[in-house]
Amino acid sequence: MISISSNSMKQTLHQYLMQYRSVFKKRSFDIFYWLIMGILCTEEVRSIQFVYDSFIKKHTDKVLNSIYYFLSYSKFPIEALTTITVAIALSLIPEKLRQNTLFITIDDTLQAKYGAKFDCYVKHFDHTKKNGTKYLNGHCFVSVMLNIPLYYQDKAKYLSIPIGYRLYSKEQNKLEMASQIIKCIMPQLEMFQVILLCDSWYSKGSILDTVKEFDNLEVVGAVRHDTAIYDLPPAPTGKRGRPRKKGRKLNAREFSYTKIGEYYVAEKKVMTNLFEEPIYVTVTATDIKPFSSIRVFISSINPDEIKTINTALNTKEALTDQNEDECTSKTLTTYRMRWNIEVMFYQHKFFWSFGNYMVRNKAAIERYVNLLFVAYTFACLLPFMDKRYEKYQFKSPQLIKRTVGVQITKELIFDSFVLSFESAKIYSTIKESVQGFLNKDWVA
């Protein structure tokens, strides 16, 4: 497990970011360090220039053009940031929880932009809009989230961290973009049981091909309600000819339903056109007589074999805080974790200034949002790497960001204060006094 501890918050951040040092050249890493610090210390990142004017310029001699050049033309690979972030997260998993399942969540989010001179600027359909136009001018980002088990108050709880953003363009579809990120990190997860969580948009094509490519990767996801479902193949009859691969086509209306909370739920082992092997399907309906509001979920793994559920830990405590009735279906319990990526999108947009990038080319936009996830991940992981921040475990990343930002700002002000006394040679006593106050204030 990585342990970071330093009397200085600046040094703590630098020690954490040094794990990314191999990705950058010397000058680029210095800009990377100050950009991450600027994101953490700026309450609202209105633009790259705003971070530079309000923070970076006050504490360094860097020029604004060097920041823009770093984002647009530096040749550091985003995939390298992803693999290093995953390595840091995996190192924090306690030994006793390494047999538990890891979850990968994929989804995409839209970001409105005003001005048609951005790369990849197109009109997107926004299915969340309930009134007015359902189309949005701007960008679409495909994101992947990793959920790792950690101890919290003597129980296992999953921490969700982003591991990569990709800007959608017409050159490549979203399924292929998500598949590339998954393939990038799966070699690091070969010792774990991994389950991919996704909605019905991603439960097809390249994503399912990727699931079939790795022996330790399974999928629990929503599919279209009209997905063809078949009974298991009949037993061999001993007659000539190739045996049937599927049984008769099934109608979900004929399933045996149980009332769980507000919904009727049915589960069955079936065959589909999505996989050559049998899978487990879960169907939910608000009312089985008119058979309305149908949702269908698939699981390529027997829910009883999900290792998180097989531990001594209670499922509803490990995955969610739902009541016992709502957690009867293990497939639905597992699928609920997918909602964490929606929470992350909300936090990034409303508290981390996700959409306030004022750079135009595709490379710069992708690099900016991925630097944002590095800063966000640092805020999430810091309480598990530094014991002095234990009280912030599973707290809002915004709260941790503000605490870190205030402390770094104090230290930078102190550094400037000390430098002003160096020529007079009277600063040593003042330095020790103020440093003691800052250390006491931080630990408190």
Side-chain angles (χ1 to χ4, degrees):
M1 179 185 297
I2 296 175
S3 178
I4 292 180
S5 180
S6 172
N7 289 333
S8 168
M9 190 64 225
K10 280 174 53 186
Q11 293 176 4
T12 298
L13 177 61
H14 188 270
Q15 190 176 347
Y16 176 85
L17 296 181
M18 276 298 292
Q19 296 170 95
Y20 297 90
R21 177 64 182 86
S22 61
V23 180
F24 304 96
K25 295 183 178 180
K26 183 177 180 181
R27 291 183 180 179
S28 295
F29 177 77
D30 199 32
I31 296 175
F32 167 72
Y33 169 68
W34 281 102
L35 266 176
I36 298 298
M37 189 185 296
I39 292 172
L40 291 170
C41 295
T42 306
E43 187 72 19
E44 179 185 5
V45 181
R46 300 175 187 173
S47 65
I48 297 298
Q49 182 171 353
F50 180 81
V51 175
Y52 176 79
D53 291 337
S54 63
F55 182 80
I56 297 177
K57 182 173 69 172
K58 295 180 180 180
H59 305 290
T60 71
D61 57 356
K62 301 187 181 305
V63 296
L64 179 59
N65 281 344
S66 67
I67 309 295
Y68 285 126
Y69 185 90
F70 168 78
L71 291 173
S72 298
Y73 302 108
S74 295
K75 296 183 179 180
F76 68 89
I78 295 176
E79 293 78 10
L81 298 180
T82 297
T83 55
I84 292 173
T85 301
V86 171
I88 295 172
L90 295 180
S91 70
L92 295 175
I93 302 176
E95 192 63 34
K96 292 183 179 179
L97 295 182
R98 287 186 169 268
Q99 297 301 317
N100 284 29
T101 305
L102 301 187
F103 297 92
I104 297 175
T105 307
I106 56 175
D107 204 355
D108 56 83
T109 186
L110 299 179
Q111 178 59 53
K113 295 301 290 184
Y114 303 97
K117 294 186 178 180
F118 293 97
D119 284 357
C120 307
Y121 178 89
V122 294
K123 180 178 287 188
H124 298 277
F125 177 77
D126 187 0
H127 65 88
T128 63
K129 288 290 184 67
K130 304 302 180 184
N131 51 33
T133 178
K134 290 191 175 183
Y135 290 90
L136 175 149
N137 292 321
H139 290 135
C140 177
F141 293 90
V142 176
S143 180
V144 176
M145 168 182 279
L146 179 65
N147 304 274
I148 59 172
L150 298 170
Y151 280 123
Y152 178 66
Q153 298 179 349
D154 299 325
K155 297 178 182 177
K157 188 172 182 179
Y158 278 85
L159 179 69
S160 302
I161 58 171
I163 57 174
Y165 277 107
R166 297 295 183 274
L167 178 59
Y168 168 74
S169 65
K170 294 182 178 180
E171 300 172 357
Q172 190 177 31
N173 67 51
K174 292 186 284 187
L175 298 177
E176 293 173 346
M177 296 172 68
S179 295
Q180 286 182 353
I181 304 177
I182 296 170
K183 291 178 181 179
C184 175
I185 65 173
M186 280 306 298
Q188 297 175 273
L189 308 179
E190 61 181 357
M191 302 304 294
F192 297 89
Q193 180 190 75
V194 185
I195 293 180
L196 180 65
L197 306 175
C198 55
D199 60 17
S200 58
W201 176 263
Y202 288 94
S203 299
K204 56 190 176 185
S206 302
I207 298 299
L208 296 186
D209 291 340
T210 302
V211 172
K212 297 170 187 176
E213 186 177 332
F214 298 94
D215 293 336
N216 65 322
L217 180 61
E218 306 289 348
V219 61
V220 173
V223 294
R224 288 171 55 100
H225 67 84
D226 58 354
T227 298
I229 301 173
Y230 304 89
D231 203 351
L232 297 179
T237 61
K239 297 181 180 181
R240 287 185 175 184
R242 189 174 70 177
R244 295 179 60 181
K245 293 184 177 181
K246 302 183 181 72
R248 67 182 180 88
K249 191 171 183 178
L250 299 176
N251 188 338
R253 286 176 177 267
E254 301 171 357
F255 289 1
S256 177
Y257 287 86
T258 303
K259 187 72 177 294
I260 302 178
E262 299 179 358
Y263 296 91
Y264 292 90
V265 180
E267 297 181 311
K268 192 175 181 64
K269 187 176 182 180
V270 300
M271 300 295 297
T272 65
N273 296 328
L274 302 174
F275 292 88
E276 294 183 0
E277 300 80 16
I279 63 171
Y280 297 82
V281 64
T282 301
V283 183
T284 67
T286 55
D287 195 332
I288 56 176
K289 290 184 178 180
F291 210 56
S292 58
S293 300
I294 309 304
R295 295 198 69 188
V296 181
F297 305 88
I298 61 169
S299 174
S300 63
I301 181 175
N302 185 340
D304 293 327
E305 295 178 2
I306 299 177
K307 294 181 181 179
T308 303
I309 296 175
N310 289 338
T311 64
L313 299 167
N314 191 297
T315 304
K316 64 179 186 235
E317 293 172 344
L319 295 178
T320 65
D321 295 323
Q322 303 296 322
N323 62 53
E324 187 173 357
D325 289 338
E326 293 177 327
C327 289
T328 301
S329 171
K330 295 177 181 178
T331 299
L332 297 180
T333 299
T334 302
Y335 183 77
R336 284 194 186 99
M337 187 176 290
R338 196 201 71 83
W339 183 253
N340 290 343
I341 199 169
E342 304 289 355
V343 176
M344 182 198 72
F345 289 152
Y346 176 84
Q347 292 175 334
H348 281 187
K349 290 181 179 182
F350 288 91
F351 302 107
W352 289 74
S353 309
F354 177 85
N356 292 351
Y357 47 88
M358 294 300 175
V359 284
R360 294 180 178 178
N361 68 66
K362 181 177 183 290
I365 296 171
E366 273 195 338
R367 286 167 181 161
Y368 168 77
V369 296
N370 280 279
L371 293 182
L372 185 69
F373 97 70
V374 171
Y376 180 91
T377 303
F378 171 74
C380 293
L381 298 182
L382 179 62
F384 299 94
M385 296 185 293
D386 194 321
K387 292 184 177 180
R388 288 172 291 186
Y389 272 77
E390 281 184 346
K391 63 181 180 180
Y392 292 102
Q393 291 181 358
F394 290 102
K395 300 295 184 183
S396 166
Q398 293 74 250
L399 176 61
I400 303 172
K401 174 180 181 286
R402 177 170 294 182
T403 304
V404 169
V406 168
Q407 181 60 28
I408 290 178
T409 302
K410 288 181 180 179
E411 292 176 7
L412 290 171
I413 293 174
F414 170 64
D415 290 344
S416 300
F417 177 73
V418 169
L419 288 173
S420 66
F421 283 96
E422 283 188 349
S423 59
K425 298 182 180 180
I426 61 172
Y427 68 95
S428 58
T429 303
I430 300 175
K431 176 180 177 181
E432 293 175 1
S433 300
V434 177
Q435 185 67 65
F437 169 76
L438 288 176
N439 293 341
K440 181 179 179 181
D441 179 58
W442 183 39
V443 173

